[in-house]
Amino acid sequence: MSELKRYHYPHDFTLECGVVLPEIEIAYHTYGTPSAENVIWICHALTGNSDPADWWSGLVGEGKLFDTRQHFIVCANVLGSAYGSTNALSVNPATGEPYYQDFPLITIRDIVASLDLLREHLGIRRIKTLVGGSLGGQQALEWAIQQPKLFDQLILIATNARMSPWGVAFNESQRMAIQADQTWQERRPDAGLSGMKAARATALLSYRNPKTYDFTQPREESAIENFRACSYQQYQGDKLAARFNAFAYWTLSKVMDSHDVGRNRGGAMSALNQVKTQTLIIGIQSDVLFPIEEQRFLARYIPQAELTEIDSLYGHDGFLVENELMTKTIRTWELANQFAPREEEELIIRDRVRVDVRKGFSEYIAVENISFVATPSTVHLINGNRIESENNLEKIGQALQELYDFAPLSPRLPHILANTRFVKGFDEATNRMFFADGRTHTLPSFPLPVR
Ligand SMILES: CC(=O)SCCNC(=O)CCNC(=O)[C@H](O)C(C)(C)COP(=O)(O)OP(=O)(O)OC[C@H]1O[C@@H](n2cnc3c(N)ncnc32)[C@H](O)[C@@H]1OP(=O)(O)O
Ligand SMILES: N[C@@H](CCO)C(=O)O
């Protein structure tokens, strides 16, 4: 657990829309002790808060991917949100009353400006990893464009370079639900709350997909009304209403709409090209709100980007739910990053890795069993066996996991694995690996115990 902290910035804060907030407050959490090299900055999504150990508990905590014992983890609540930073319910110093409907238009760039103020306040000069999903990814991307030298690693999950017309339309439909609430123009904290419930229920349709509902809300055989899916939608509206407000929902949906990294920068491609950080992009194939094409677009135009596409029953919300998959994907990428190739190698290796081997390599980590993938259709095992396949590495991985006990693997294995992207050859007789730079490494021979 970590306490909510507050940073008060007592100066004019000029928003992109031209409005000046006379002061702002940023609510934030930190975990761990800072050093020059251990800062991880997490950006939260639409209804998240500044405590990632709360909403991303599968990834943030002791011994987890973002290990609070090793890293200094920072997360700030975004301007306009309901969780402590300046928002529509804050008192407007000019009037002595809450802003309510007068709260101005906020953009991702405004949020990033506030994050950067907090960074300076905390004395952070270098951020090892900047990570965010959805609206969090939009912030992370914008920040990495503005300050390409500040970050070592950038992880963008289920996000995009600019909000699509489809996404804007979803948000507008949700705002229409809020507007239809007769209380919406009233100046009180719970104005528009019923409308927000309908908005959340609508949003759920974009965070999930038909398969999610088939699986989690199956139709009752004999029912002719009051289906499971109905009470689920109602419940989700109520659940958000218990922790959020319509003003914050309205503000942040507009933040999302205005997101376009290409604005006043000659377009998105040119903006993405300004990212100089090693970047991992994770897309969810079943995401209907931030479709996979949007992450492919990011990967195409961010110079040092890797794209991993994952499958999740949960669609867009997969980034909040698929902890194991996220952990494995990010760990794999981080390991490989420790051995960045020289530029001329990069061309050759990346081509091969991207198209063929890389997928296998990722799967290796995911299933913790394949020593390396020599060709797209041949998997070499640590015990010297070999499996031929039609490049269906996932199936092989599953089969292997059922067959072998991988517990006794060498502690040096991660190092070896990280090098596999440079492997040029493997001699099965001697267990020797030949690297692109001429080095060799002999794998320990451990006949793995068969389960
Ligand atoms: C821990 C926190 O509250 S974090 C607070 C900050 N929130 C955030 O950061 C936002 C990010 N989080 C989210 O958006 C969500 O929490 C997610 C996506 C991670 C998970 O969504 P959830 O709503 O928890 O999961 P899911 O869609 O499976 O719904 C489960 C809930 O619906 C209820 N439910 C499921 N089916 C039905 C149904 N047919 N009728 C009524 N209720 C139903 C379940 O009982 C469960 O209730 P509970 O949350 O009170 O335990
Ligand atoms: N479930 C997420 C959706 C937006 O990414 C949230 O409520 O923040």
Side-chain angles (χ1 to χ4, degrees), residues 131-187:
V131 53
S134 192
L135 181 112
Q138 296 176 335
Q139 298 158 54
L141 176 58
E142 174 62 34
W143 205 359
I145 289 168
Q146 287 186 18
Q147 303 210 38
K149 293 189 175 156
L150 184 57
F151 311 99
D152 293 333
Q153 301 187 141
L154 173 65
I155 304 175
L156 306 171
I157 312 170
T159 196
N160 54 15
R162 61 187 159 216
M163 203 60 185
S164 64
W166 170 253
V168 172
F170 257 113
N171 285 338
E172 182 66 16
S173 307
Q174 292 165 46
R175 287 189 294 268
M176 285 166 69
I178 293 175
Q179 279 172 317
D181 183 328
Q182 289 182 345
T183 67
W184 174 231
Q185 286 310 318
E186 293 173 16
R187 293 181 74 80

Side-chain angles (χ1 to χ4, degrees), residues 46-305:
L46 185 71
T47 70
N49 56 33
S50 59
D51 187 0
D54 172 17
W55 54 266
W56 227 2
S57 58
L59 299 193
V60 180
E62 292 198 358
K64 301 196 175 152
L65 173 69
F66 301 123
D67 194 337
T68 46
R69 291 171 309 194
Q70 290 178 22
H71 302 291
F72 182 64
I73 295 172
V74 189
C75 179
N77 183 225
V78 298
L79 289 178
S81 165
Y83 290 114
S85 293
T86 298
N87 67 87
L89 302 191
S90 305
V91 171
N92 178 351
T95 63
E97 299 287 329
Y99 289 96
Y100 291 133
Q101 290 81 359
D102 304 330
F103 196 67
L105 184 78
I106 305 283
T107 67
I108 288 286
R109 294 185 191 183
D110 297 326
I111 291 171
V112 165
S114 74
L115 298 182
D116 208 52
L117 283 175
L118 176 63
R119 176 189 66 78
E120 281 181 6
H121 167 72
L122 295 174
I124 295 172
R125 287 159 183 264
R126 184 128 206 96
I127 292 173
K128 179 175 180 272
T129 306
L130 173 65
V131 53
S134 192
L135 181 112
Q138 296 176 335
Q139 298 158 54
L141 176 58
E142 174 62 34
W143 205 359
I145 289 168
Q146 287 186 18
Q147 303 210 38
K149 293 189 175 156
L150 184 57
F151 311 99
D152 293 333
Q153 301 187 141
L154 173 65
I155 304 175
L156 306 171
I157 312 170
T159 196
N160 54 15
R162 61 187 159 216
M163 203 60 185
S164 64
W166 170 253
V168 172
F170 257 113
N171 285 338
E172 182 66 16
S173 307
Q174 292 165 46
R175 287 189 294 268
M176 285 166 69
I178 293 175
Q179 279 172 317
D181 183 328
Q182 289 182 345
T183 67
W184 174 231
Q185 286 310 318
E186 293 173 16
R187 293 181 74 80
R188 55 185 171 95
D190 61 351
L193 209 57
S194 295
M196 191 196 73
K197 291 182 187 180
R200 180 66 165 181
T202 309
L204 252 286
L205 306 179
S206 69
Y207 301 157
R208 310 294 168 89
N209 59 49
K211 279 193 181 143
T212 328
Y213 279 77
D214 280 345
F215 184 74
T216 64
Q217 308 299 327
R219 226 185 132 87
E220 295 88 337
E221 284 289 312
S222 52
I224 55 171
E225 63 173 348
N226 298 327
F227 296 99
R228 260 191 207 108
C230 303
S231 61
Y232 177 71
Q233 294 300 94
Q234 296 282 348
Y235 180 78
Q236 289 291 331
D238 291 343
K239 189 173 165 184
L240 187 69
R243 68 178 178 88
F244 219 65
N245 66 68
F247 293 99
Y249 201 92
W250 182 279
T251 304
L252 296 189
S253 76
K254 291 213 157 210
V255 166
M256 231 186 226
D257 283 3
S258 65
H259 170 65
D260 178 0
V261 294
R263 187 168 58 248
N264 304 326
R265 289 189 181 123
M269 291 178 231
S270 132
L272 294 178
N273 196 42
Q274 291 170 37
V275 176
K276 300 298 177 229
T277 311
Q278 292 278 353
T279 304
L280 171 65
I281 296 155
I282 303 178
I284 302 168
Q285 282 155 347
S286 55
D287 187 339
V288 294
L289 184 59
F290 291 72
I292 197 76
E293 289 74 21
E294 297 191 333
Q295 292 86 58
R296 290 179 188 157
F297 180 83
L298 295 175
R300 199 171 310 131
Y301 294 105
I302 294 177
Q304 301 182 76

